[in-house]
Amino acid sequence: MKKKLFIPGPVDVSEDVLKKMSTSMIGHRTKEASDLQRSISQKMMKVMYTKNQIMLSTSSGSGLMEGAVRSCTKKRAAVFSIGAFGDRWFDMALYNGVPADKFSSEWGSPTTPEMVDRTLSTGKYDLITITHNETSTGVMNPIEEIAEVVKKYPEVIFCLDTVSSLGGTKIEVDRLNVDICIASTQKCLGLPPGMAICSISEKAIEAAKKVKNRGYYFDLLKMYEYIKKKDHQYPSTPSLSHMFALDYQLDKILEEGLENRFIRHENMAKYVRAWAKENFSLFADEKYASNTLTTIKNSKNISVAELNIKLKEHGYIISNGYGILKEQTFRIAHMAETTLDEIKALLETINNILNL
Ligand SMILES: *Cc1c(COP(=O)(O)O)cnc(C)c1O
């Protein structure tokens, strides 16, 4: 039996989008390949509200996160962590020999604009990383307020992880002055895993030019220069299958309408939060609760593993807690093409299983 996924990636992919993945191959050095990438870029610019260059990477989102911190840090990176994915970004800096400091918030809480201001005012840092939507804790950072503070430090490169939020909530890259905004295909964009997408500013490119060891595969400057010189092609062979599907899925996203899509995500989030508060409690500070997934505190001490086994019999899969939160929390994703009716049916089933 096919299972409906309510996990924060990979998400369910529509049949028609899956079919596009099996489009016949074209040469990656052809005009068709250039046209395909250009078409994707134009649509992605709308989804990201930016005029910056769009770059695709045949990797998951982590590849571009590693590429960003390594390619653009000359002095020292300030990594703000509110959970597992912020911690990962710090490890990437460490393992690549990039000087970095980590500024952690308690899990369930956001990065505050004050923390960012205090850190950047030291003048020690030339790059900052922020997790927009922390998928382990279900916290969505107050990005507007954080961006206001970062604007005070125009020499700092602003990197934003929107892997689990882009396509499900509004991220206005240009208005927020984000230099590198990163997303993956398998979350709110509703595609199979295997490709990552970023926007990159001229400022970030200029910064990369001053960095010596940018690595090879994830050297963002090399990618950028190749796109510019070779009319939207890549140094190595990209996943053309993903590109066919992405180009098509972006049409569907724009057809739904970005605002409609964001409202649909918000409505699902509100519904799940109300259910969680009635029956359990929220792990995240509610003021910062995510619109794309909800992390629920297992206040009734149920067996999350057992719940998932029973849900599978009904054709549903939800997520247990991340890492150390495995049994302490569980997570329900409400992203990509999921509808409010599907969320209602899932919660109804959970109510029946748990006798809530
Ligand atoms: C999933 C996720 C990542 C990692 O993305 P991959 O595509 O799996 O490499 C990074 N950050 C956040 C917030 C995520 O949810």
Side-chain angles (χ1 to χ4, degrees):
M1 178 162 92
K2 201 180 138 205
K3 310 277 191 303
K4 179 110 197 88
L5 301 176
F6 292 91
I7 59 175
V11 296
D12 284 318
V13 181
S14 319
E15 286 298 326
D16 51 340
V17 175
L18 278 179
K19 266 202 199 112
K20 288 286 167 186
M21 289 288 289
S22 57
T23 305
S24 303
M25 278 306 120
I26 57 173
H28 69 299
R29 299 286 175 232
T30 58
K31 181 174 176 301
E32 283 161 284
S34 296
D35 290 347
L36 181 58
Q37 150 72 15
R38 215 178 308 106
S39 166
I40 291 168
S41 282
Q42 282 159 3
K43 294 169 196 170
M44 269 319 296
M45 285 162 78
K46 290 185 186 154
V47 175
M48 289 184 155
Y49 297 83
T50 185
K51 293 193 168 63
N52 287 343
Q53 181 63 51
I54 303 293
M55 305 206 293
L56 304 177
S57 168
T58 297
S59 67
S60 71
S62 301
L64 286 177
M65 288 166 69
E66 181 160 352
V69 75
R70 175 159 181 179
S71 300
C72 299
T73 309
K74 183 167 162 62
K75 212 156 66 178
R76 199 169 188 87
V79 176
F80 288 85
S81 175
I82 58 169
F85 290 103
D87 287 352
R88 181 183 290 192
W89 222 344
F90 181 65
D91 287 343
M92 286 167 173
L94 276 191
Y95 300 162
N96 279 287
V98 174
D101 293 310
K102 182 163 72 172
F103 302 91
S104 301
S105 301
E106 197 187 330
W107 283 37
S109 300
T111 297
T112 64
E114 294 75 32
M115 283 170 77
V116 174
D117 202 8
R118 209 182 314 128
T119 304
L120 294 186
S121 69
T122 61
K124 276 166 69 180
Y125 305 97
D126 58 353
L127 182 138
I128 170 181
T129 77
I130 298 281
T131 310
H132 175 246
N133 188 67
E134 179 50 73
T135 315
S136 55
T137 62
V139 168
M140 196 169 256
N141 259 324
I143 194 61
E144 297 277 332
E145 288 91 331
I146 292 171
E148 273 313 304
V149 168
V150 181
K151 277 179 195 166
K152 286 168 54 185
Y153 305 93
E155 70 286 3
V156 174
I157 303 299
F158 182 9
C159 303
L160 189 64
D161 169 355
T162 63
V163 171
S164 62
S165 49
L166 191 93
T169 196
K170 196 180 220 169
I171 317 277
E172 293 176 277
V173 166
D174 286 355
R175 201 174 58 75
L176 298 172
N177 264 331
V178 177
D179 292 299
I180 305 177
C181 184
I182 299 167
S184 300
T185 46
Q186 80 279 13
K187 296 191 183 171
C188 300
L189 291 169
L191 292 146
M195 188 160 255
I197 305 158
C198 75
S199 67
I200 188 158
S201 69
E202 286 296 328
K203 194 174 112 189
I205 290 301
E206 287 311 310
K209 285 179 184 166
K210 299 191 183 94
V211 176
K212 241 199 207 145
N213 291 311
R214 298 183 303 271
Y216 190 90
Y217 193 69
F218 295 113
D219 175 354
L220 300 194
L221 176 60
K222 180 153 60 83
M223 253 183 238
Y224 178 87
E225 288 180 337
Y226 213 95
I227 289 171
K228 292 288 183 196
K229 272 187 211 137
K230 308 268 173 162
D231 189 17
H232 291 80
Q233 294 185 5
Y234 288 88
S236 44
T237 321
S239 173
L240 292 155
S241 307
H242 277 91
M243 289 167 69
F244 288 125
L246 177 57
D247 190 45
Y248 176 80
Q249 170 69 354
L250 286 171
D251 280 337
K252 289 185 73 178
I253 289 174
L254 295 171
E255 227 163 80
E256 178 181 10
L258 289 172
E259 295 293 342
N260 293 338
R261 195 172 173 89
F262 303 151
I263 290 167
R264 176 166 58 79
H265 279 78
E266 198 178 325
N267 288 339
M268 290 191 290
K270 280 182 183 157
Y271 197 89
V272 175
R273 285 204 283 271
W275 174 87
K277 283 195 297 180
E278 193 183 325
N279 298 293
F280 294 90
S281 62
L282 293 175
F283 182 78
D285 179 344
E286 188 171 3
K287 213 174 138 211
Y288 305 102
S290 166
N291 275 346
T292 61
L293 89 148
T294 300
T295 300
I296 298 146
K297 203 187 267 179
N298 183 8
S299 55
K300 286 202 162 88
N301 229 347
I302 60 159
S303 163
V304 174
E306 200 135 298
L307 171 62
N308 234 338
I309 290 169
K310 291 205 176 121
L311 274 174
K312 270 180 204 163
E313 290 165 11
H314 292 85
Y316 296 128
I317 298 183
I318 60 167
S319 209
N320 54 16
Y322 193 102
I324 51 168
L325 298 176
K326 205 180 197 81
E327 279 286 319
Q328 294 170 43
T329 64
F330 58 98
R331 296 175 296 161
I332 296 175
H334 24 84
M335 51 175 71
E337 309 318 305
T338 305
T339 63
L340 183 58
D341 282 345
E342 289 168 331
I343 286 288
K344 285 179 180 171
L346 168 75
L347 297 181
E348 182 75 36
T349 307
I350 297 179
N351 286 349
N352 289 337
I353 291 171
L354 298 176
N355 292 316
L356 296 175

